[in-house]
Amino acid sequence: MPLPSIALVVARGRNGVIGRDGDLPWRLRSDLQRFKAVTIGKPCIMGRKTWESLPLRPLPGRLNLVLTKDESYHESSKAKGCVVVTTMAEALSMAREQAMEDGVDEVCIIGGAAIFEAALPKAKRLYITEVEAEPDGDVHFPAFNEADWVETLNEPHQAGEKDDHAFTFRTLDRA
């Protein structure tokens, strides 16, 4: 079995915003359903702030790896249910090992900005929800050259009953 590949999973506004004040800058139930479908059963790597922003911790049915520079974080009551790691290399090694044990071909990077930036050069796939909005925010998805990627899915959606905005599900694979 080949080494599990790295996939980034993100929802971003037209202005690149992915977060505001430790939370998402919108409510998109449809995106949360896609997030679950894409990540279920796969190891998920995230930063401490992303972990602490989750309404339900840990994400069920997934190994939750939290990357933080705080070496004592694993002793924190907030770390219950996750595996704390201090380097991206350690996170990827553990995630890939778990993915191979579980027979899945991807490891998911789910945020925040610094984690996305560190993983982007290694990523083989991007699952992006393009939100039709330009919200104020303090966290942005890192810039990347779309010419380096091939779009394999482009699925526009009108806002559903519990969605603040229209959106498009896109999947990009590294060219």
Side-chain angles (χ1 to χ4, degrees):
M1 181 172 167
L3 200 59
S5 62
I6 298 168
L8 277 55
V9 185
V10 66
R12 68 176 181 178
R14 284 191 295 254
N15 56 358
V17 167
I18 61 173
R20 178 177 57 221
D21 300 329
D23 200 359
L24 296 172
W26 47 64
R27 294 286 163 245
L28 291 174
R29 184 174 186 191
S30 299
D31 177 58
L32 296 177
Q33 291 168 334
R34 180 184 195 227
F35 174 86
K36 182 178 181 181
V38 165
T39 63
I40 196 76
K42 299 174 187 173
C44 291
I45 298 171
M46 68 201 88
R48 178 192 54 79
K49 290 178 190 169
T50 298
W51 165 254
E52 290 180 1
S53 77
L54 295 175
L56 177 66
R57 290 191 303 253
L59 292 169
R62 291 152 274 203
L63 173 64
N64 290 235
L65 289 156
V66 175
L67 182 53
T68 177
K69 294 178 191 120
D70 180 355
E71 295 186 14
S72 66
Y73 189 73
H74 68 277
E75 299 165 9
S76 162
S77 62
K78 292 178 181 173
K80 188 172 190 274
C82 72
V83 176
V84 177
V85 291
T86 55
T87 68
M88 180 60 82
E90 182 184 15
L92 289 172
S93 174
M94 289 179 79
R96 282 177 158 155
E97 189 176 312
Q98 186 67 51
M100 287 191 289
E101 274 181 36
D102 295 341
V104 294
D105 62 355
E106 277 182 338
V107 167
C108 295
I109 310 292
I110 64 168
I115 308 299
F116 284 139
E117 193 166 344
L120 190 56
K122 300 172 175 69
K124 296 282 185 252
R125 177 170 283 167
L126 306 177
Y127 294 100
I128 302 177
T129 300
E130 302 283 7
V131 182
E132 295 300 319
E134 293 190 18
D136 290 333
D138 51 15
V139 185
H140 294 79
F141 191 72
F144 66 98
N145 185 352
E146 288 218 21
D148 296 338
W149 301 82
V150 175
E151 186 175 69
T152 58
L153 176 78
N154 184 310
E155 192 177 272
H157 293 269
Q158 294 304 312
E161 185 182 326
K162 295 192 176 178
D163 299 325
D164 290 348
H165 307 284
F167 54 90
T168 300
F169 291 148
R170 295 178 70 208
T171 302
L172 305 177
D173 289 329
R174 192 172 292 278

